[in-house]
């Protein structure tokens, strides 16, 4: 529903709060910088769509040379296919009848590769694809230390040999999400070394799969903290950073970006100044998401001398020396801990140029 009919362009002061803001100039620089980085490393860039869930953002990434997108959900796949947005990797194994049949029909539309990490995942897909007369390309997911999905590097070749017996599926290569790099807060050299190790592991896995006689053209790594290390290893063919398009406070804590690169903020107003000095705003968990802070300072970053340590659904609680100057009605911009979680809370974002909102872009494919 449209509640506020704010005419754009408008100054930030005219916007209803809370509001999600996107600094377009920062986003454009982030897109250009990552495209250049992937180009210099000689890898294809397949950004993760879960960060923006926003088609104008995806179009800007494609215009800068992205080969297509990584998706987490069926809704993201469908939204991008409907928009004609190119070659997609659905990097989340489709399990259960609804997702299996979606995978088959989406693959039949073309340019979809899926993720597989076991025979249990693959068997129903093989059966459904064969019945439909479709061949679905897939990558084997490798667990390089994140401990989530994927098989350990030493098990990939054996799994590839088992999977090769299944009709309706066609191996294209291997991928990993090196989310474990986020453990290296405050130690960028250790993070970079761990990222290079991920790249080397994946290249060795691909060599083993190839020498066992299986196709393995794609060697895909993917994360924003790892974008400066894992894709640089010779033999890696693809990088799948997602968060880089906006960055966030957690990426700043990891040394992936400077705070001046953070393109996404939540605009909020002070709605109460409590007698004890605590300041209450209109941005709570439903504006920020409850994603935790890598730096341990709450629900988002307001200012160096303000802590955002507590949030209810629709109220934020600010403490610290910087709150003494705040009055009811004051506007604040909060950098989210995790851009992707915050975007998923919103039906749209205001595109801002300096202190002016110029347009509103809708988000899509949310749960
Ligand atoms: C499979 C996969 N690829 C790529 C990414 C992108 O990583 P980041 O959010 O660090 O950019 C993610 C993030 O969760 C992911 O799960």
């Amino acid at each position: 529903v449209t509640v506020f009919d704010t005419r754009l362009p408008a100054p930030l002061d005219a916007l209803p709060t809370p509001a999600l803001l996107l600094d377009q100039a920062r986003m454009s620089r982030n897109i250009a910088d990552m495209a250049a980085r992937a180009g210099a490393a000689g890898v294809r860039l397949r950004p993760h769509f879960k960060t923006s869930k926003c088609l104008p953002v995806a179009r800007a990434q494609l215009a800068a040379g992205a080969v297509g997108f990584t998706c987490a959900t069926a809704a993201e796949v469908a939204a991008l296919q409907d928009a004609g947005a190119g070659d997609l990797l659905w990097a989340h194994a489709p399990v259960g009848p609804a997702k299996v049949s979606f995978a088959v029909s989406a693959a039949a539309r073309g340019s979809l590769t899926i993720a597989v990490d076991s025979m249990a995942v693959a068997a129903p897909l093989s059966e459904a694809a064969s019945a439909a007369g479709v061949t679905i390309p897939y990558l084997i997911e490798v667990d390089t230390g994140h401990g989530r999905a994927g098989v350990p590097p030493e098990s990939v070749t054996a799994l590839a040999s088992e999977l090769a017996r299944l009709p309706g599926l066609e191996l294209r290569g291997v991928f990993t999400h090196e989310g474990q790099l986020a453990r290296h807060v405050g130690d960028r050299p250790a993070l970079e070394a761990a990222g290079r190790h991920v790249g080397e592991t994946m290249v060795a896995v691909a060599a083993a799969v190839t020498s066992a006689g299986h196709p393995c053209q794609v060697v895909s790594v993917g994360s924003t903290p790892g974008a400066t290390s894992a894709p640089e290893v010779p033999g890696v063919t693809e990088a799948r950073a997602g968060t880089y398009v906006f960055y966030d406070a957690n990426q700043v804590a990891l040394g992936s970006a400077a705070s001046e690169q953070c393109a996404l903020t939540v605009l909020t107003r002070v709605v109460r100044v409590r007698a004890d000095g605590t300041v209450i705003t209109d941005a709570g968990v439903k504006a920020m998401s409850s994603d935790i802070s890598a730096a341990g300072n709450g629900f988002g970053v307001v200012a160096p001398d303000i802590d955002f340590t507590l949030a209810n659904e629709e109220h934020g609680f600010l403490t610290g020396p910087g709150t003494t100057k705040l009055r009811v009605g004051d506007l604040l911009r909060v950098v989210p801990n995790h851009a992707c979680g915050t975007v998923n809370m919103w039906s749209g974002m205001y595109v801002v140029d300096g202190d002016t909102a110029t347009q509103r872009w809708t988000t899509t494919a949310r749960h």
Side-chain angles (χ1 to χ4, degrees):
V1 290
T2 304
V3 179
F4 299 100
D5 193 14
T6 311
R7 278 202 131 97
L8 299 177
L12 297 190
D13 188 54
L15 298 183
T17 55
L20 187 63
L21 307 184
L22 172 60
D23 184 315
Q24 191 171 12
R26 289 185 179 194
M27 177 195 78
S28 300
R29 270 197 300 277
N30 295 342
I31 290 173
D33 289 352
M34 191 59 78
R37 179 171 287 288
V43 297
R44 286 171 299 162
L45 181 60
R46 183 182 297 285
H48 207 309
F49 184 58
K50 54 120 192 181
T51 303
S52 78
K53 291 183 180 268
C54 183
L55 293 171
V57 174
R59 283 190 203 104
Q61 290 171 302
L62 285 175
V67 293
F69 293 93
T70 309
C71 299
T73 68
E76 291 168 7
V77 172
L80 287 167
Q81 284 194 325
D82 288 351
D87 186 67
L88 306 179
L89 169 65
W90 185 8
H92 199 304
V95 174
K99 279 155 82 170
V100 166
S101 90
F102 174 81
V104 172
S105 56
R109 286 177 82 177
S111 294
L112 176 71
T113 300
I114 60 166
V116 167
D117 66 356
S118 69
M119 285 295 278
V121 164
L125 288 160
S126 164
E127 203 174 303
S130 305
V134 172
T135 300
I136 311 182
Y138 70 96
L139 303 183
I140 296 179
E141 182 160 7
V142 185
D143 179 6
T144 50
H146 194 206
R148 190 174 70 178
V151 286
E154 61 277 12
S155 308
V156 177
T157 303
L159 178 61
S161 299
E162 272 195 275
L163 291 169
R165 296 201 305 268
L166 298 179
L169 299 177
E170 185 178 285
L171 181 62
R172 291 280 164 84
V174 289
F175 82 101
T176 192
H177 168 56
E178 62 278 12
Q180 69 272 19
L181 300 189
R183 292 173 199 148
H184 297 280
V185 178
D187 191 349
R188 190 73 191 177
L191 187 155
E192 302 265 345
R196 278 191 299 278
H197 179 64
V198 166
E200 286 156 8
T201 303
M202 292 300 286
V203 172
V205 164
V209 170
T210 305
S211 52
H214 305 295
C216 197
Q217 310 93 293
V218 178
V219 184
S220 175
V221 296
S223 73
T224 294
T228 53
S229 51
E232 314 248 312
V233 174
V236 172
T237 67
E238 179 175 286
R240 305 186 323 275
T243 306
Y244 81 93
V245 71
F246 298 153
Y247 290 116
D248 56 29
N250 285 351
Q251 293 301 332
V252 173
L254 285 165
S256 309
S259 47
E260 299 71 40
Q261 290 171 274
C262 292
L264 203 69
T265 48
V266 172
L267 184 73
T268 181
R269 270 189 205 279
V270 173
V271 295
R272 179 167 176 75
V273 178
R274 256 174 29 185
D276 66 359
T278 300
V279 162
I280 314 295
T281 72
D282 58 6
V285 169
K286 285 182 174 171
M288 304 304 307
S289 89
S290 53
D291 282 350
I292 56 168
S293 161
N297 57 354
F299 287 83
V301 172
V302 185
D305 55 355
I306 295 177
D307 295 319
F308 183 178
T309 46
L310 183 67
N312 292 165
E313 285 179 66
E314 312 288 4
H315 295 84
F317 293 65
L318 308 183
T319 55
T323 59
T324 51
K325 58 182 181 299
L326 295 176
R327 302 286 174 266
V328 168
D330 284 354
L331 280 178
L332 296 166
R333 286 173 76 169
V334 189
V335 178
N337 292 335
H338 183 203
C340 319
T342 301
V343 164
N344 198 52
M345 309 304 284
W346 292 91
S347 57
M349 57 187 93
Y350 290 96
V351 179
V352 299
D353 176 3
D355 284 335
T356 304
T358 57
Q359 332 172 42
R360 189 167 184 277
W361 288 348
T362 54
T363 44
T364 185
R366 296 181 302 136
H367 278 299

